[in-house]
Structure formats: C-alpha cells, structure tokens
Amino acid sequence: MEKYAAQTQQEFEGWEEFISKPVDEKVQNFIRQNRIYDVIYAQQFDRSFLDYLCSLADSIRLLAKTKVGQSKLRHLLPHKRAMLYFVQPSTRTFLSFQNACHILGITTSEIRGTSTSSEVKGESPEDTIRTFASYVDLIISRHPEAGFAEKTAWVLNQTDHPVPVLNGGSGPDQHPTQALLDIYTLEREFRTIGGLDGKKIAMVGDLKRGRTVRSLSYLMKNYQDVELVYVAPEIFRMKDDIKEFLSKHDIPFKETEDFESIMPEVDAIYMTRIQNEYGSDPTSEAETYPQFHLKTSHLSLIQTHCAILHPLPRRYEIDIRIDKDPRAAYWRQERCGMWIRAALISYIFGVDGEIMNELS
Ligand code: NCD
C-alpha cells in the first residue's frame, strides 16, 4: 500500500507575474497600514525599523526581569493564537519563537513535520497554510523550500482571511528573523564602541547555501561604512546575487580562502556550518573544512573587541574551549533571538507602543 499520496500542485493566477517582480516592488504586498505585516525577506527592514526593534527588544528584556513586568507582557496578547509550522529541523528558531509568543501571552500550536499533517493525503502546502489561517492569528513557518513563506503569504493575502506570516527559514534562501537577531547581537556587542556602523565583519563557512549569511548581508545596506569579508572554500563561495546587491549599494567586500590572514583586521567573525542537507556532491560533503574552523590558537590573532557569532547549530567550526572567552557571543546571540522575536511579534500586533510607554 502506498503510504503517502503525491502532493497536489496548484497553480495560482497572478503568482508567476508576482514572483518575477523585483523585491522592492514585491515588499509592498507584505505591508498593511504602513506597517510590515508579513516578514518574508531581510530587504523589508530599514534602519529606523531595525533601531526601533532593537530598542523594543531591550525594553522587553528589561520588563521580563521582574514578575510584575512579565505579567504586563503576558497580558498584552492573551487573545491571540499562533501556529508554528516547522517542517524542517529546528531547535533555536522554534523554541525562541514559541517562547517569544508565550512572553506576550500568545497561545501556540505546532506542526513539526509533514508526516502528521494532511499533506500525507496529498494536500498542497498552500491549502495546509490556508487551513491554519482558519484557526490562528499568526503563522510562523520553516520549510526546506526556497520561497515557501513568500508564496504562502502571497496566497493568504488573496483570501478574505489573511493572517501575518513570519518566515522562520525558507530553504537555502532567506532567514530574515535570524538576520534581525544577528543585528541585535552585533549592536549590543558593539554598544560601547559605536554600534555596527564602521565595522568590518567576516562571514565564514558555507556562504553558498547558508541562508543566515545571505539575509544578514542584505541588512548591511542599513549601516554606515560597513565592510564585509567572505571567507569560504571555493565551492561554497557567496552567490553572485548577494555580491551584486552589495556592489549596487556600495558596500565594500572581499573574498578569501585564507581565514587566518584576515583575523587581525575584523571586528566580528560570523561562523557557519557546512549545510550538508542541501548537498548533492558526496566528496565535498564528507569534508569538514578545518581551514575554516576557529581554533583556540586564533584567539591571540583576533582583536580584543572582536565578537564571535554563530547562528548555531555548531559542529566543529568553533572549538568548545572558545566558549569561555568573553568574545564568544553565540550563546548570548541565541538568547537575543527570543527578545527580538518577541519585539517583532509585538510590533506585528501593534502592542509595541504599550511596551515602550511602560518604560518611558
Ligand atoms: C540556522 C538555519 O537554520 O539556517 N540555524 C538557525 O536558525 N539558528 C543555521 C544552520 O542551520 O546552520
């Protein structure tokens, strides 16, 4: 007996026309009443939004330190329900979104694999998402397919019952809320040295298929005098679309395979793992690329203020003995994810003003 039915493919009128548009035009589709409604691409965020979200996250963080503050936060959105549709493996993004919802009093439900949803019966992902919108006020999705969140948000926006969609990772393509938490972490790590403006950031590892480095690169256009250094093995170099974006926005960048040579000159090192799940070439996949690992011997080469980030999960990219070094920011970064996601969700539901007033 056939266990799974083949997935139904649906053709949506207007979709082909929509996806062929440049991102600057597409973002209009995801805005309502002058506010971001669906969070799909990192290109949706401008500097004032990023600065505002970081200070909102700081306020939530501060309020959450006390019982009274936590209770205030929990009473902001107890009438809202969110669906976490995570059909690609996730620990941090799932938990940080779930806990961000709970901080604000939102009830959550979850699907963590297509095998327990009606997709097994052949239902299309678009119909599945539309079903969630019948029951909840917010959909947060993680999916192995590039463009998944974009399409489902677009489909929902054609219906008479849309709900906001937050992209928690769409294949090797984008991870916009990870980029938000990366910015929040960098701004905090550089708080006493002028923030992210004017800094030089190295991104290291599988830049070709890592969605975090792609989304974070897009956000660099919002900062003054930032320089990027892409450090990757030849086969995992950053794709041309991002490099063209950087050139268009006059963001200086260079590429190298010599990690050690650039260590003394950068203000932050953003490590990533090899994204084997998207791989097809078994020889290259078997390699761990040790020249692109951060080792304890490197700690004397990097600057005293250099922030070490990693979206996690890590394998061998960062020696665990580095965790004790004050420059290791990745565990702080993980926690930043929960605060910035709580900030984003409060903004989406328009209760951000109440949070800011609480502390003014
Ligand atoms: C990243 C992801 O899923 O893209 N992890 C995360 O969301 N924190 C990075 C990765 O899986 O390597």
Side-chain angles (χ1 to χ4, degrees):
M1 198 180 84
E2 181 74 64
K3 199 170 168 215
Y4 299 116
Q7 199 165 70
T8 305
Q9 304 288 325
Q10 290 161 335
E11 279 189 25
F12 292 88
E13 209 179 315
W15 168 246
E16 290 303 325
E17 189 195 331
F18 176 76
I19 45 159
S20 57
K21 288 183 186 169
V23 169
D24 297 351
E25 280 177 45
K26 290 198 286 187
V27 292
Q28 299 309 321
N29 200 269
F30 304 120
I31 292 172
R32 285 185 183 214
Q33 285 148 1
N34 279 327
R35 282 172 91 89
I36 295 175
Y37 181 78
D38 301 295
V39 175
I40 307 300
Y41 333 97
Q43 299 94 309
Q44 284 176 275
F45 312 133
D46 61 18
R47 179 65 183 261
S48 62
F49 179 80
L50 292 166
D51 287 349
Y52 179 62
L53 215 64
C54 289
S55 65
L56 191 56
D58 278 342
S59 303
I60 293 174
R61 193 174 201 138
L62 204 61
L63 279 171
K65 284 192 192 300
T66 66
K67 197 171 169 183
V68 175
Q70 282 209 17
S71 165
K72 284 200 170 127
L73 289 167
R74 256 200 323 276
H75 283 88
L76 287 172
L77 294 166
H79 56 306
K80 298 290 180 192
R81 292 183 299 275
M83 174 79 213
L84 291 134
Y85 176 67
F86 274 57
V87 296
Q88 193 187 28
S90 173
T91 305
R92 271 150 292 271
T93 309
F94 177 82
L95 283 176
S96 64
F97 263 123
Q98 189 186 45
N99 284 287
C101 286
H102 294 169
I103 286 169
L104 300 167
I106 300 173
T107 311
T108 55
S109 43
E110 64 191 65
I111 287 189
R112 302 226 44 185
T114 50
S115 63
T116 54
S117 90
S118 283
E119 286 172 83
V120 175
K121 303 177 190 169
E123 186 171 54
S124 71
E126 293 82 8
D127 278 3
T128 302
I129 290 281
R130 194 166 172 177
T131 301
F132 301 154
S134 302
Y135 305 122
V136 301
D137 307 289
L138 173 70
I139 295 168
I140 305 162
S141 83
R142 165 169 288 205
H143 202 276
E145 240 170 72
F148 179 81
E150 180 183 24
K151 185 159 185 196
T152 50
W154 180 86
V155 168
L156 280 186
N157 285 336
Q158 319 289 309
T159 71
D160 56 9
H161 190 74
V163 301
V165 173
L166 308 184
N167 180 1
S170 48
D173 162 32
Q174 280 250 7
H175 197 347
T177 65
Q178 177 73 40
L180 289 178
L181 79 92
D182 294 341
I183 289 290
Y184 182 45
T185 309
L186 288 166
E187 288 278 44
R188 282 180 70 89
E189 295 297 314
F190 298 147
R191 190 155 281 183
T192 55
I193 51 166
L196 183 46
D197 292 320
K199 301 296 186 292
K200 194 184 240 190
I201 320 272
M203 298 188 189
V204 187
D206 187 348
L207 307 181
K208 184 179 172 189
R209 303 169 302 177
R211 54 193 171 196
T212 64
V213 281
R214 293 175 54 78
S215 289
L216 185 57
S217 296
Y218 281 126
L219 289 194
M220 292 303 163
K221 81 161 197 309
N222 296 299
Y223 295 87
Q224 300 290 316
D225 304 319
V226 165
E227 284 178 56
L228 293 181
V229 186
Y230 289 139
V231 186
E234 179 65 28
I235 54 162
F236 297 135
R237 281 173 66 173
M238 183 55 91
K239 285 190 187 164
D240 288 342
D241 59 340
I242 298 288
K243 289 188 261 179
E244 279 156 22
F245 176 89
L246 296 176
S247 303
K248 189 172 149 207
H249 292 276
D250 292 324
I251 302 164
F253 69 93
K254 65 179 179 189
E255 296 180 271
T256 179
E257 288 191 58
D258 187 354
F259 188 15
E260 280 190 10
S261 73
I262 59 89
M263 284 182 188
E265 68 190 57
V266 295
D267 303 291
I269 298 177
Y270 189 103
M271 300 295 295
T272 67
R273 71 177 172 90
I274 305 298
Q275 307 279 311
N276 303 62
E277 62 268 47
Y278 302 111
S280 50
D281 170 2
T283 14
S284 63
E285 296 305 325
E287 254 248 58
T288 62
Y289 299 91
Q291 321 84 283
F292 300 90
H293 294 176
L294 195 64
K295 306 179 181 80
T296 45
S297 57
H298 294 144
L299 289 174
S300 58
L301 297 180
I302 64 173
Q303 302 196 63
T304 49
H305 68 268
C306 181
I308 305 166
L309 278 76
H310 192 310
L312 304 176
R314 118 177 105 182
R315 287 190 200 140
Y316 306 104
E317 308 81 53
I318 304 180
D319 188 315
I320 54 165
R321 286 171 294 178
I322 293 178
D323 294 10
K324 290 205 182 83
D325 191 283
R327 291 166 291 185
Y330 32 95
W331 297 110
R332 294 191 286 277
Q333 180 185 1
E334 190 173 70
R335 213 165 144 73
C336 281
M338 178 174 71
W339 303 122
I340 203 85
R341 286 176 173 126
L344 180 67
I345 295 166
S346 73
Y347 164 87
I348 296 285
F349 286 119
V351 293
D352 47 311
E354 283 177 60
I355 296 170
M356 291 309 241
N357 286 342
E358 203 59 56
L359 292 166
S360 62

